[in-house]
Amino acid sequence: MKKTLKAGTLFICGLMAAVSCDDFVNVDPLYTRSADNFFRTPTDYQQALTGAYDPMQTSYLDLWIGEIASDNSIAGGEGVTDTEGLHQIDAMTHGGVNNELRSLWRWMYAGVTRTNYIFENRDKLEFDDKARIMGEASFLRGYYYFELVKFFGAVPLIVDRQLPPGEVSSQVRTPATEVYAQIEKDLQAAADALEWTTPVKGRITKGAALALLGKAYLYQNKFTEAATVLDQVINEGGYDLFNNFETMFRVVNEGSKETVFDIEYVGVEGGSYGCFVCLEGFAAVGFHGIRGYDGPVYADGNSYNLPTKDLYDAFESGDPRRDASILDIEAFIAAQEEPGKIKYVTGAGGHTGYYNKKYLKRSDELGLGDNDLTSPVNHKVIRFADVLLMAAEAHNRKPSANDNLALQYLNRVRTRPSVGMAALNLTGTALTEAIYRERRVELAGEGLRFFDLVRTGKAAEEIDGFEAGKHEVFPIPQDEIDLAGADWQQNPKY
């Protein structure tokens, strides 16, 4: 049975007992299971783990904000009050009252609480598959805290326990370095416990844990550690670049050798506009769809997260990744047999003429019910090309630079048959800049651009309205500051 989490779950609920604020897992009859009589069988642990996976279903926000806060996309939509928080982020006018940031905070802490619930009860039962379950739980907690720290900086760090109500007001924001230390510990534990492959599609693997660990190291400028971990993924994981960049993001090609860590979605009815965390489909795809569209190939949507001309022009001449990543709607219509019959409208939230083609609603990939909410397309959070480019950067920027290996990894991405760009021959800072440019075009539309600009110190020069010393992190939701009553100081300048 599918577990549920109300969209209004509060952070204070996340810090306290999960079962007191929300249904942790659905059981029959309702409310007859508690911590005292749960975790009695291996199935109980598996149900709890499934519940801990569930908040990842909200990953559309991570993708949106990572693009819209950068120079890659604008918010789009019906108007500037349509998902207003995204427009505030687009304009760099966001503050502590922002629905999208509040939702992200609450959902990630819901995930933390669910994993902590498992760890708090880990010693109640021994069984054969327990190490794998605890390994996946370790990854999930590391993932949720990674999302929190990359968005908000210092955040309360609660590990292996639920928080009694009387302790909520005494919780402090833990320095980001300590949060990262816990993330590293969790992801290494996951990597140690898990195998490179799994018989269950969508479950976390050793490769996913090591790749996210490498990314966490990279975000801290720990380049030597990142290089070591990412090399292991490259050399031992059995991953490879997919043979067709154009079709890599299609449902039919999910689970390819390029997929290191994805979030699984299915195209069946589930959730609603009042409960995005309840969705079984990937909301980003439906909302990226072309507004009022009537024509071949694609399907009507809401025109969110629209790529900019700046991104379109960032591709080198002849790079096939441009047209595989970005749909130029007017060029597409003009190339059809009966262009005059194709219709679409633009929203008052902005129009660039471009759409995110990697995650674009297509007529042959529609879910059931309200297909804006039920896309079966998976979210590719880390793919092998990202691993290669992270490793290239790590080798290039570490104290004992290995530019030869960095260049090899970079060119492996550029020159693969489905891309066919010319190999580069660079060293030092010129190679560094080439890796940054390659990340932008290779990973366009995948939600990484803002965080890449921040961690490399380039955000202020590339993002209009970005204020150094402020916008590197997002504000703590004011509701959470007020609810916790813990005297948290807001992030600087907000």
Side-chain angles (χ1 to χ4, degrees):
M1 304 177 68
K2 183 171 175 63
K3 60 268 151 226
T4 59
L5 174 67
K6 301 176 181 64
T9 301
L10 302 179
F11 165 65
I12 196 169
C13 292
L15 287 185
M16 295 190 299
V19 292
S20 67
C21 297
D22 193 74
D23 301 338
F24 189 75
V25 292
N26 271 355
V27 293
D28 296 315
L30 201 59
Y31 304 125
T32 62
R33 306 297 296 273
S34 69
D36 291 333
N37 62 15
F38 200 58
F39 296 108
R40 298 289 183 87
T41 70
T43 299
D44 291 342
Y45 283 86
Q46 186 59 60
Q47 283 187 320
L49 180 65
T50 301
Y53 268 91
D54 206 42
M56 286 202 302
Q57 300 294 107
T58 62
S59 68
Y60 70 93
L61 271 183
D62 180 44
L63 187 151
W64 280 351
I65 295 174
E67 293 295 305
I68 291 167
S70 79
D71 51 350
N72 271 6
S73 293
I74 67 169
E78 184 177 4
V80 295
T81 58
D82 184 20
T83 318
E84 185 176 7
L86 293 179
H87 287 274
Q88 294 168 354
I89 291 169
D90 188 0
M92 289 286 131
T93 60
H94 52 279
V97 180
N98 183 290
N99 287 336
E100 279 58 56
L101 295 175
R102 181 187 60 187
S103 293
L104 191 147
W105 173 284
R106 294 176 175 185
W107 291 334
M108 294 305 97
Y109 266 112
V112 167
T113 299
R114 292 180 179 201
T115 56
N116 278 340
Y117 188 53
I118 297 171
F119 280 100
E120 187 177 38
N121 294 279
R122 67 183 304 166
D123 296 328
K124 282 193 170 183
L125 183 70
E126 296 298 326
F127 53 96
D128 289 343
D129 202 30
K130 184 177 177 182
R132 189 267 308 170
I133 287 176
M134 300 312 301
E136 292 183 33
S138 293
F139 173 92
L140 293 172
R141 185 167 64 187
Y143 167 81
Y144 293 130
Y145 270 127
F146 180 70
E147 291 298 294
L148 286 163
V149 75
K150 83 176 187 183
F151 272 93
F152 303 108
V155 295
L157 180 64
I158 313 298
V159 178
D160 291 356
R161 68 189 185 105
Q162 296 173 87
L163 201 64
E167 292 186 29
V168 173
S169 61
S170 65
Q171 291 305 301
V172 298
R173 292 178 63 192
T174 305
T177 54
E178 295 180 31
V179 180
Y180 270 115
Q182 181 60 46
I183 292 168
E184 293 168 13
K185 181 180 178 181
D186 276 338
L187 295 177
Q188 188 61 62
D192 292 342
L194 300 175
E195 302 295 332
W196 288 107
T197 60
T198 173
V200 181
K201 187 173 183 285
R203 291 292 184 185
I204 298 303
T205 63
K206 179 190 289 288
L210 289 174
L212 187 57
L213 177 58
K215 181 165 286 192
Y217 283 139
L218 201 65
Y219 274 53
Q220 300 172 81
N221 291 339
K222 293 183 176 181
F223 301 118
T224 300
E225 295 90 336
T228 299
V229 167
L230 295 167
D231 279 351
Q232 186 180 357
V233 178
I234 293 167
N235 296 326
E236 301 176 25
Y239 302 106
D240 203 353
L241 295 167
F242 188 62
N243 60 12
N244 189 328
F245 192 94
E246 172 77 29
T247 64
M248 176 167 41
F249 287 79
R250 299 294 305 276
V251 170
V252 69
N253 291 323
E254 288 174 353
S256 74
K257 284 190 174 183
E258 180 143 351
T259 301
V260 179
F261 165 39
D262 68 353
I263 296 175
E264 300 278 324
Y265 291 95
V266 292
V268 298
E269 184 62 40
S272 67
Y273 288 94
C275 185
F276 278 86
V277 77
C278 305
L279 299 181
E280 296 174 355
F282 192 20
V285 176
F287 280 78
H288 288 172
I290 306 162
R291 182 173 292 272
Y293 181 77
D294 183 8
V297 182
Y298 301 105
D300 171 69
N302 297 284
S303 296
Y304 276 58
N305 189 21
L306 302 173
T308 60
K309 189 175 188 300
D310 186 71
L311 173 59
Y312 190 81
D313 291 342
F315 290 82
E316 298 169 64
S317 177
D319 191 338
R321 291 174 295 185
R322 186 195 68 181
D323 293 340
S325 303
I326 302 170
L327 175 70
D328 179 336
I329 184 63
E330 290 298 332
F332 169 77
I333 291 174
Q336 303 309 302
E337 290 185 0
E338 298 182 288
K341 294 185 177 181
I342 300 173
K343 308 295 181 184
Y344 77 99
V345 299
T346 61
H351 179 65
T352 64
Y354 304 116
Y355 295 84
N356 186 333
K357 195 173 179 181
K358 289 177 177 175
Y359 294 111
L360 188 58
K361 189 175 175 186
R362 302 176 63 100
S363 59
D364 61 349
E365 292 180 337
L366 299 180
L368 301 176
D370 186 337
N371 54 47
D372 280 347
L373 304 178
T374 58
S375 171
V377 175
N378 287 351
H379 180 185
K380 296 185 186 303
V381 183
I382 302 178
R383 55 188 178 89
F384 190 56
D386 188 7
V387 171
L388 287 168
L389 293 175
M390 287 193 292
E393 180 182 342
H395 280 288
N396 168 252
R397 297 183 69 190
K398 69 180 183 176
S400 56
N402 185 344
D403 281 354
N404 287 333
L405 187 55
L407 190 64
Q408 176 184 318
Y409 288 155
L410 171 61
N411 284 331
R412 185 171 173 183
V413 172
R414 287 179 57 83
T415 66
R416 68 196 193 267
S418 66
V419 173
M421 300 302 292
L424 300 177
N425 187 16
L426 303 166
T427 60
T429 56
L431 177 56
T432 309
E433 293 299 323
I435 293 168
Y436 294 162
R437 289 192 297 272
E438 197 70 21
R439 285 191 63 80
R440 187 184 190 190
V441 297
E442 171 69 31
L443 304 168
E446 297 180 41
L448 306 181
R449 175 65 173 173
F450 175 78
F451 302 103
D452 276 351
L453 289 173
V454 166
R455 66 179 182 79
T456 58
K458 293 181 172 293
E461 63 188 76
E462 299 293 345
I463 302 173
D464 290 340
F466 186 98
E467 182 179 348
K470 175 182 180 179
H471 289 128
E472 290 83 357
V473 291
F474 293 89
I476 304 297
Q478 189 61 45
D479 281 354
E480 309 308 327
I481 295 176
D482 296 340
L483 283 166
D487 196 29
W488 296 339
Q489 296 300 305
Q490 182 57 276
N491 281 330
K493 299 186 180 182
Y494 282 108

